[in-house]
């Protein structure tokens, strides 16, 4: 459902923020993150995007993992996203291949 998907995205972004904050500092607030949604369903993606933007995140939307890789390549050498959410059913490649490609692109940006 929409709420379940949003909560999952929000929890991941919250975890990313928690990992970046010193252990002695606690914060219930999630720092703004750059997010790429590749969920295959444009309407669902736009609803999730609206919710995440409302939470002050920066969100781009694409159709699938193949397009996600292209967008990451086009963004250049800097790390373009803090999190990429993919729907494995909406890609011509498997998730492991996409994750590998994204890691290669990310390592070039470091």
């Amino acid at each position: 459902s929409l709420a379940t998907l949003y909560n999952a995205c929000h929890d991941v972004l919250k975890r990313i923020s928690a990992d970046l904050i010193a252990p002695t500092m606690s914060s219930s607030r999630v720092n703004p993150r750059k997010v790429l949604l590749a969920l295959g369903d444009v309407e669902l993606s736009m609803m999730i995007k609206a919710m995440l933007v409302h939470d002050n995140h920066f969100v781009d939307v694409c159709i699938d993992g193949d397009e996600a890789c292209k967008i990451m390549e086009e963004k250049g050498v800097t790390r373009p996203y803090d999190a990429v959410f993919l729907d494995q059913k909406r890609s011509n490649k498997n998730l492991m291949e996409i994750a590998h490609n994204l890691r290669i692109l990310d390592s070039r940006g470091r």
Side-chain angles (χ1 to χ4, degrees):
S1 77
L2 177 63
T4 302
L5 185 56
Y6 165 74
N7 287 331
C9 292
H10 184 73
D11 288 347
V12 168
L13 295 171
K14 189 173 170 182
R15 177 60 191 237
I16 291 169
S17 291
D19 288 347
L20 296 175
I21 295 174
T24 58
M25 300 173 64
S26 63
S27 174
S28 59
R29 189 182 73 125
V30 177
N31 293 328
R33 298 287 167 216
K34 296 177 284 183
V35 179
L36 178 61
L37 297 175
L39 303 177
D41 182 325
V42 175
E43 290 180 20
L44 178 65
S45 295
M46 295 311 287
M47 287 187 273
I48 297 294
K49 177 181 178 172
M51 292 177 183
L52 293 174
V53 167
H54 184 269
D55 292 340
N56 297 317
H57 298 293
F58 304 98
V59 182
D60 288 333
V61 174
C62 64
I63 295 298
D64 58 23
D66 299 328
E67 188 178 351
C69 288
K70 287 178 191 171
I71 288 173
M72 298 264 299
E73 276 186 51
E74 291 170 3
K75 292 280 183 176
V77 295
T78 60
R79 177 180 281 184
Y81 298 102
D82 298 305
V84 178
F85 295 96
L86 301 166
D87 180 348
Q88 79 178 58
K89 296 177 187 173
R90 304 290 183 165
S91 180
N92 295 330
K93 299 177 184 176
N94 69 43
L95 281 181
M96 294 303 289
E97 186 178 354
I98 292 167
H100 176 73
N101 290 344
L102 294 177
R103 283 190 190 111
I104 290 170
L105 292 169
D106 183 54
S107 68
R108 289 181 194 162
R110 290 186 183 183

